[in-house]
């Protein structure tokens, strides 16, 4: 592992560490290696996302569902993020109850023991334009990891070229989609950030059913309420006594429209068409794909 400084188009650098050809935040080497080597358990619940795709949100939903109550002390997903926390901590979690753990790793870097043990895996997608918008703010604010002072116009090309921590969003999305398709008998649940916002109760119910946490509708509605962006952000602001919450910025769908220029949107769409044609992500997030769906509806 080595520390590298990735330059943006304006010459500003972002600090990463490099391992096995991929960039990561400056986490401990033992933790970074652990994700590829760890011993899974059959009752594990592994939440997988590319960064800024709703990890904190879904982690909190799972936490409440497993506990059967929303009256819990605040715990951030980082405390159970495989590549950030100590190997001994994860290995030392009680075996009698499911481990609610998460990672941003690509499918090809995940320990194969998750497949062998049939651990439950939840994969969450999000519009990559909203992801990069949030990721930019993430890299700007987390100075202890990244020490970055660049501007949006210089930063966006790094995302499009896969030169950020966790590499290319395009590769991450395609890799996980292929991984899931190649293991049809494994317990996977695929959700989208947008669907979680549009039908929160329906998706919380799906998660509860998937992880085997049976609850009545009243409790599921309580989970939905306690895991809204506004409630979670308000709780964190109160507890930290600050309005500057790095992990809770806006949580909106479509905020990318306030950042992308027309030219940047066209560049993104061209690359998206080239990289993602034929994938499920293409159906969800391509403008031309959505237009075709709308045209088909109008023809009915």
């Amino acid at each position: 592992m080595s520390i590298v400084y990735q330059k943006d188009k304006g010459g500003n650098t972002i600090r990463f560490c490099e391992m096995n050809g991929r960039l990561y935040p400056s986490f401990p080497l033992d933790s970074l290696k652990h994700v590829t080597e760890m011993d899974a358990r059959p009752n594990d619940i592994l939440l997988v996302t590319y960064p800024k795709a709703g990890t904190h949100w879904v982690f909190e939903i799972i936490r409440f569902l497993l506990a059967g109550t929303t009256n819990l002390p605040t715990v951030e997903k980082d405390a159970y993020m495989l590549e950030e926390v100590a190997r001994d901590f994860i290995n030392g979690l009680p075996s009698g109850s499911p481990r609610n753990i998460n990672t941003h790793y690509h499918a090809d870097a995940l320990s194969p023991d998750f497949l062998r043990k049939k651990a439950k895996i939840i994969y969450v997608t999000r519009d990559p334009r909203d992801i990069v918008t949030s990721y930019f703010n993430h890299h700007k604010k987390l100075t202890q990891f990244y020490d970055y002072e660049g501007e949006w116009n210089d930063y966006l090309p790094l995302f499009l070229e896969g030169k950020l921590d966790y590499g290319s969003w395009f590769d991450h999305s395609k890799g996980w989609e292929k991984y899931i398709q190649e293991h049809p008998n494994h317990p996977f649940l695929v959700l989208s950030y947008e669907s979680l916002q549009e039908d929160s109760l329906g998706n919380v119910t799906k998660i509860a059913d998937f992880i085997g946490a049976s609850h009545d509708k009243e409790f599921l509605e309580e989970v939905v309420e306690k895991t809204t962006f506004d409630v979670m952000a308000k709780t964190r602001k109160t507890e930290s006594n600050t309005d500057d919450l790095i992990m809770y910025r806006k949580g909106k769908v479509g905020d990318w429209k306030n950042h992308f220029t027309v030219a940047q949107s066209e560049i993104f769409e061209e690359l998206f068409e080239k990289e993602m044609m034929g994938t499920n992500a293409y159906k969800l997030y391509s403008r031309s794909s959505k237009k075709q769906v709308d045209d088909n509806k109008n023809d009915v």
Side-chain angles (χ1 to χ4, degrees):
M1 183 181 79
S2 59
I3 299 297
V4 298
Y5 291 86
Q6 181 68 65
K7 281 188 178 183
D8 69 10
K9 295 296 183 182
N12 288 288
T13 59
I14 313 181
R15 184 177 66 245
F16 300 118
C17 68
E18 184 177 23
M19 185 182 74
N20 298 331
R22 283 203 179 108
L23 300 176
Y24 297 95
S26 301
F27 294 151
L29 176 59
D30 185 61
S31 299
L32 289 169
K33 290 174 61 178
H34 179 228
V35 187
T36 68
E37 303 167 349
M38 71 175 288
D39 294 326
R41 299 174 185 171
N43 62 349
D44 278 343
I45 300 167
L46 177 64
L47 171 61
V48 180
T49 68
Y50 191 84
K52 316 313 295 180
T55 326
H56 286 80
W57 184 15
V58 180
F59 172 83
E60 190 82 329
I61 291 170
I62 296 170
R63 200 165 70 97
F64 288 160
L65 291 173
L66 288 175
T69 178
T70 61
N71 185 25
L72 297 175
T74 299
V75 174
E76 300 295 354
K77 67 93 179 172
D78 303 67
Y80 293 87
M81 185 175 175
L82 298 182
E83 58 265 36
E84 185 171 0
V85 300
R87 180 189 304 234
D88 289 346
F89 171 76
I90 294 295
N91 289 339
L93 291 172
S95 58
S97 56
R99 294 186 295 186
N100 178 15
I101 50 182
N102 65 91
T103 186
H104 296 315
Y105 266 40
H106 287 242
D108 63 8
L110 187 70
S111 168
D113 208 38
F114 283 99
L115 284 178
R116 287 193 290 264
K117 300 289 179 56
K118 294 282 187 181
K120 293 182 174 69
I121 299 177
I122 299 175
Y123 183 71
V124 184
T125 71
R126 189 183 185 186
D127 189 321
R129 291 163 293 195
D130 279 331
I131 283 179
V132 65
T133 300
S134 184
Y135 217 11
F136 171 65
N137 288 276
H138 175 92
H139 283 120
K140 290 274 285 187
K141 289 186 175 182
L142 271 175
T143 54
Q144 68 269 36
F145 284 118
Y146 303 112
D147 195 23
Y148 179 57
E149 298 180 353
E151 301 298 328
W152 165 254
N153 290 339
D154 298 323
Y155 172 88
L156 180 59
L158 292 179
F159 178 83
L160 299 180
E161 295 166 13
K163 294 180 179 179
L164 298 173
D165 39 342
Y166 298 102
S168 164
W169 174 89
F170 301 99
D171 291 346
H172 192 280
S173 180
K174 288 186 292 187
W176 271 103
E177 184 169 322
K178 183 173 182 285
Y179 188 85
I180 292 168
Q181 291 171 347
E182 289 177 344
H183 302 94
N185 296 320
H186 191 89
F188 288 107
L189 176 63
V190 180
L191 306 169
S192 76
Y193 186 96
E194 294 76 20
S195 178
L196 275 160
Q197 285 215 351
E198 183 178 346
D199 180 15
S200 296
L201 180 59
N203 281 276
V204 167
T205 302
K206 284 182 183 179
I207 296 171
D209 291 342
F210 180 71
I211 66 176
S214 179
H215 298 290
D216 58 31
K217 184 179 179 182
E218 183 178 3
F219 178 71
L220 296 177
E221 290 173 340
E222 181 182 336
V223 171
V224 169
E225 172 60 27
K226 292 297 179 67
T227 57
T228 61
F229 180 88
D230 289 343
V231 169
M232 290 177 65
K234 182 178 179 180
T235 299
R236 272 61 176 181
K237 285 179 181 179
T238 301
E239 293 179 348
S240 61
N241 195 30
T242 180
D243 287 331
D244 188 19
L245 296 178
I246 294 172
M247 299 301 179
Y248 298 85
R249 194 179 65 88
K250 289 185 178 181
K252 303 294 185 183
V253 171
D255 185 50
W256 65 270
K257 297 173 185 176
N258 298 317
H259 296 77
F260 277 68
T261 65
V262 172
Q264 288 170 344
S265 182
E266 290 174 349
I267 290 170
F268 174 87
E269 189 65 25
E270 182 179 351
L271 179 61
F272 190 88
E273 293 270 340
K274 175 184 175 182
E275 293 284 344
M276 305 304 292
M277 180 74 75
T279 66
N280 290 330
Y282 180 85
K283 297 173 187 175
L284 283 173
Y285 303 121
S286 169
R287 285 185 301 179
S288 60
S289 177
K290 289 178 179 178
K291 182 178 184 302
Q292 183 63 49
V293 170
D294 292 339
D295 289 345
N296 290 342
K297 289 180 179 178
N298 293 334
D299 289 339
V300 174

